[in-house]
Amino acid sequence: MKQVVQNYKSGELSVLDVPVPGCKPGGVLVRSAFSLISTGTELMKVSEAGMSMLGKARSRPDQVAKVVQSVAVNGLPATYRKVMGKLDSYTPLGYSLCGVVEQVGAGIDDVKVGDLVACAGNEHALHAEVNWVPRNLYVPVPDGLSPRHAAFGTVGSIALQGVRQGEPQLGEVALVIGLGLIGQLVVQLLAAAGVRVVGADPDPVRCELAERLGAVACGDPGSAAVENAVAELTGGHGVDQVYLAAGGGSNQPVELAARLARDRGRVVDIGKCRLDLPWNAYYEKELDVRFSRSYGPGRYDPEYELDGRDYPIGYVRWTERRNLACFLDLAARGRVDVEPLISRVADFEDAVETYRQLKDGELKAVAVLFRYPGEAGAGEAQAPAVAVPAVRRGTAAAPARPSRSPVRLAFVGAGNYATSMLLPHLARREGVELSAVVTTTALSAANAQRKFGFARATTDLDAVLGDASLDAVFVVTRHSSHAELTRRALLAGKTVFVEKPLALTEDELAGVLAAVEESGNDRLQVGFNRRFAPLLREAKARFGARTGPASLRYLVNAGRLQHGSWYLQQGTEGSRFAGEGGHFVDTASWLLGADPVSVYAVAPSGTEDLQIVLRYPDGSTATLSYVTAGAPGFPKETLDLVADGKVLKLDDFVRASVYGSKRWVSSRLPKARDKGQSAELASFVRAVRTGGPMPVPLESLVATTAATLAVQAALAGGAPVTLARSL
């Protein structure tokens, strides 16, 4: 299929061939009929992409702050690779469309194949021929509403949520500053609610359009016409609400709002304009400043948007989805008219030229729609044909491959970790062929194919697992899918590299081991990379063999997660420690040369911090302090190992030292944090090529996973948990 994408680094826009997304449970696959260009938000994004690196930094100071923090925690080289990887990737455009349901995922019963739906979301309602849309981000289109009008649903919801924040009442007077697409819809919604509206915009054409659509009077913000209209309608008291629907860097909108609002009036920010509030003016009138967050309650909440967990109507009357349905109902009943807002309907194949004309000012538009091939039949009851990629399975055992032939790899998942920490090492490694990349979202597969040279990109996992020419499969997806994907790949006879964790539950771990037993295939590696870190390996060698028990202390300054991070979805993705704690257990066990025999854990009251004690067969102990409330500038990982009158010290994979009869200190020159990914991958590829032993014994991988899972049991029971020693 085709999708509109942009490279944020170069600013390049293109219509890209990408795989059709898979239909996951809890959502539907929708073939687009019309999608709407947001002439405000999208053009701002397109313009930013065309800026210099300095211009991009100035336009997004919030992102600059994140980069600075990342440098402090991860070092400059790793941060640079991560930032450049994100910048030099295709990003999608679009978030408002109407289309026909092509496939229904498990758990969906409110629509069927062939139904017309309006869809929302900047990850799910993209300018693409086919999108997967979760339950709470689509609604059925009411009878009689045309697909081109239903495509306004998301943008209409943004305007509707802004109006709700203003709490208008019959007979009040409102001022709408900025009469672009959102402003025009706000004018109509207010008029439908019985509010008299004054509009302000420097474009006389937009002012005339707003008056035709319900505004009492409109004019240039700097003219006397707007002030006179407000004075006449309000008896000189000022408007009850001001809606800021303007963009740009001028502070004029907030200053005009203060001047024309009544005492204790409300000012609602819907757009993205400059907000240097004049303190005296806002204080003296005690103005109530409110922000309107996108489509409504549920926005940016992954449990609502992705997991489909609705908010009870008794507590949240107007959610994201209910706002979308409400706007479509208003449009279907003629209370809102979007047809006059449509400046052009462009063919989807002309998307790049359309954006260029908008950006360069050749096309003056309030709203522009993309029309997709075959849209004339949208909304009819028949189900369109679905193109399903062929599944390719080997009919005979693959011949023995000579050592000189390349190792053929497939990636399942191509997220941030895969593209920043794994694929750069593999793409430049001689004797490796990146054969296939599988993702559930088409664009991430296309990005990985373009950047790293995969031979093919697909959303068909079965076809990849059935491809006899592939030597190994990398599982680099979200945590909840690791065990099942690993199990399937092992049963398919593939050598498997799975990022941590191997499993989130004991049942999942048992399922992986059952697949090993059933298939006889134990060719498995988990991405515990720290034991391969060159600095730590050198320090261990300098420390030498030990004769007595050791005491190891490992401080992990994990830090707080950003709001919305999928790591916080503990109901589906497991606890944060279950997800990444295996790294630290494995490192401790490798340094101590054994697997733990018991686990004890406590959590300080009211925190997410963990104190974990691992006991080993020879009496050695490892204390892991996994903390989230530490200073972000402090190193993430510090480690001390004490035994036989010697001390090994590691400072965040940058410096290391060993104290004993002789003292060894690593170079004082700053080094990049090498946490072992390159060496780990080299070891894995070598094992695949030669058929030799896997880099880490399966028994160790299982023991580390079991110990990590035992932390939760130890917390619940308040006592040490003994680990069984059998596979």
Side-chain angles (χ1 to χ4, degrees):
M1 73 167 191
K2 296 186 181 298
Q3 178 174 353
V4 177
V5 298
Q6 180 175 40
N7 184 298
Y8 193 72
K9 180 180 179 181
S10 66
E12 171 203 4
L13 277 164
S14 59
V15 178
L16 195 67
D17 284 310
V18 299
V20 175
C23 188
K24 297 179 287 188
V28 296
L29 214 59
V30 177
R31 181 165 292 277
S32 302
F34 291 91
S35 62
L36 177 68
I37 295 180
S38 170
T39 48
T41 303
E42 287 188 58
L43 286 189
M44 179 177 64
K45 183 177 180 180
V46 169
S47 298
E48 282 183 2
M51 296 177 180
S52 65
M53 294 299 291
L54 180 59
K56 289 181 174 74
R58 286 174 173 168
S59 68
R60 294 299 305 273
D62 56 326
Q63 296 300 316
V64 173
K66 291 180 182 179
V67 170
V68 172
Q69 179 61 48
S70 180
V71 170
V73 174
N74 299 312
L76 181 59
T79 300
Y80 178 81
R81 289 194 302 269
K82 181 177 180 180
V83 171
M84 288 299 104
K86 283 191 173 183
L87 286 176
D88 191 20
S89 296
Y90 286 129
T91 59
L93 294 171
Y95 59 85
S96 187
L97 67 79
C98 176
V100 175
V101 175
E102 251 192 12
Q103 192 174 343
V104 176
I108 298 298
D109 56 9
D110 59 340
V111 293
K112 62 183 184 302
V113 172
D115 284 354
L116 191 67
V117 292
C119 308
N122 61 357
E123 295 180 354
H124 305 287
L126 308 172
H127 297 311
E129 290 181 311
V130 180
N131 286 277
W132 179 80
V133 189
R135 178 195 303 274
N136 282 336
L137 292 179
Y138 70 81
V139 296
V141 175
D143 293 339
L145 184 63
S146 72
R148 61 191 265 152
H149 294 167
F152 281 76
T154 308
V155 176
S157 298
I158 294 172
L160 183 58
Q161 177 64 16
V163 170
R164 294 196 193 284
Q165 290 294 88
E167 300 181 16
Q169 297 187 31
L170 283 168
E172 289 187 330
V173 179
L175 172 65
V176 179
I177 303 176
L179 297 175
L181 177 55
I182 296 294
Q184 297 287 346
L185 293 170
V186 170
V187 167
Q188 293 195 60
L189 291 167
L190 289 169
V195 175
R196 292 172 293 171
V197 184
V198 177
D201 195 287
D203 187 340
V205 175
R206 292 184 173 185
C207 288
E208 180 184 349
L209 176 61
E211 289 179 351
R212 283 195 287 120
L213 295 175
V216 176
C218 295
D220 189 290
S223 70
V226 172
E227 295 195 28
N228 291 339
V230 168
E232 182 178 346
L233 289 170
T234 66
H237 294 294
V239 298
D240 299 282
Q241 307 117 41
V242 180
Y243 297 88
L244 302 176
S250 172
N251 207 47
Q252 184 187 36
V254 297
E255 294 171 2
L256 181 64
R259 192 162 66 249
L260 298 185
R262 66 166 169 81
D263 186 61
R264 294 175 176 81
R266 291 181 291 280
V267 178
V268 181
D269 178 46
I270 306 175
K272 189 178 181 182
C273 65
R274 186 174 173 183
L275 286 175
D276 291 341
L277 302 181
W279 188 86
N280 283 338
Y282 277 71
Y283 171 79
E284 288 171 0
K285 287 188 176 181
E286 201 174 334
L287 295 179
D288 183 357
V289 180
R290 302 181 179 183
F291 288 84
S292 179
R293 188 169 67 182
S294 201
Y295 332 143
R299 187 70 180 111
Y300 308 114
D301 178 357
E303 291 193 1
Y304 177 89
E305 293 190 330
L306 300 180
D307 298 342
R309 298 181 184 177
D310 198 7
Y311 301 151
I313 194 169
Y315 292 89
V316 184
R317 177 62 183 92
W318 293 109
T319 60
E320 198 172 354
R321 193 182 199 217
R322 291 194 271 269
N323 271 341
L324 183 59
C326 178
F327 181 83
L328 295 180
D329 175 70
L330 290 170
R333 292 190 290 115
R335 303 302 299 273
V336 175
D337 186 6
V338 299
E339 183 64 30
L341 305 179
I342 301 174
S343 304
R344 176 181 293 184
V345 178
D347 289 333
F348 179 60
E349 62 188 22
D350 297 328
V352 173
E353 176 62 16
T354 302
Y355 274 109
R356 186 197 65 77
Q357 292 179 4
L358 285 168
K359 181 175 178 290
D360 294 347
E362 295 178 22
L363 175 58
K364 304 289 186 181
V366 174
V368 175
L369 290 167
F370 287 138
R371 175 178 48 222
Y372 291 77
E375 66 79 22
E380 298 178 9
Q382 76 273 14
V386 178
V388 180
V391 176
R392 299 176 178 85
R393 299 189 183 278
T395 57
R401 177 177 39 76
S403 60
R404 66 178 180 272
S405 64
V407 173
R408 299 178 177 89
L409 306 179
F411 263 66
V412 182
N416 183 58
Y417 187 83
T419 57
S420 63
M421 303 307 296
L422 300 181
L423 283 168
H425 298 295
L426 291 168
R428 58 176 178 257
R429 186 172 296 281
E430 187 177 353
V432 168
E433 178 183 303
L434 298 178
S435 298
V437 57
V438 188
T439 62
T440 56
T441 57
L443 190 54
S444 59
N447 271 322
Q449 183 181 34
R450 180 184 69 89
K451 292 174 64 176
F452 300 107
F454 280 98
R456 58 188 169 116
T458 181
T459 58
D460 190 346
L461 176 62
D462 289 333
V464 169
L465 295 182
D467 187 344
S469 70
L470 293 173
D471 298 306
V473 172
F474 279 71
V475 176
V476 201
T477 53
R478 289 194 177 185
H479 298 165
S480 58
S481 61
H482 283 190
E484 174 61 16
L485 291 172
T486 299
R487 188 188 68 82
R488 292 178 61 183
L490 288 170
L491 290 173
K494 307 301 183 191
T495 302
V496 181
F497 182 108
V498 57
E499 250 312 311
K500 50 78 193 162
L502 173 60
L504 289 175
T505 66
E506 293 179 5
D507 287 343
E508 288 184 354
L509 181 57
V512 172
L513 294 178
V516 171
E517 183 177 1
E518 178 182 345
S519 65
N521 177 15
D522 63 353
R523 307 288 288 168
L524 175 64
Q525 170 66 16
V526 181
F528 298 142
N529 50 276
R530 283 155 174 78
R531 64 162 67 203
F532 296 91
L535 185 60
L536 187 56
R537 294 182 76 88
E538 182 177 2
K540 182 182 180 183
R542 297 275 185 175
F543 188 90
R546 60 182 176 84
T547 58
S551 174
L552 185 148
R553 181 183 62 180
Y554 202 152
L555 172 62
V556 182
N557 183 34
R560 297 195 182 279
L561 294 173
Q562 294 181 8
H563 176 72
S565 170
W566 63 267
Y567 267 83
L568 296 172
Q569 300 174 30
Q570 295 194 16
T572 55
E573 302 299 333
S575 71
R576 189 176 176 187
F577 187 81
E580 72 168 347
H583 269 321
F584 319 119
V585 175
D586 177 77
T587 304
S589 297
W590 172 72
L591 283 170
L592 296 174
D595 297 322
V597 294
S598 72
V599 178
Y600 177 65
V602 293
S605 177
T607 74
E608 299 177 82
D609 298 351
L610 293 173
Q611 302 295 327
I612 301 161
V613 179
L614 305 172
R615 188 168 59 84
Y616 289 83
D618 67 350
S620 296
T621 60
T623 302
L624 307 182
S625 297
Y626 185 83
V627 299
T628 62
F634 189 79
K636 180 179 178 181
E637 297 177 46
T638 52
L639 180 153
D640 301 300
L641 172 64
V642 181
D644 300 340
K646 298 179 289 186
V647 177
L648 181 156
K649 183 176 178 61
L650 176 73
D651 291 322
D652 212 21
F653 297 89
V654 175
R655 295 284 306 282
S657 55
V658 174
Y659 295 80
S661 58
K662 295 182 179 180
R663 181 184 177 192
W664 170 80
V665 180
S666 64
S667 171
R668 293 183 178 275
L669 294 176
K671 292 183 179 179
R673 289 178 181 85
D674 185 346
K675 295 186 179 180
Q677 284 92 351
S678 180
E680 175 190 34
L681 293 171
S683 182
F684 176 77
V685 170
R686 184 166 54 251
V688 176
R689 176 181 290 114
T690 64
M694 297 303 293
V696 181
L698 179 60
E699 292 80 3
S700 176
L701 300 177
V702 172
T704 294
T705 303
T708 306
L709 297 177
V711 168
Q712 192 60 43
L715 286 171
V721 173
T722 299
L723 298 172
R725 307 314 304 161
S726 61
L727 269 173

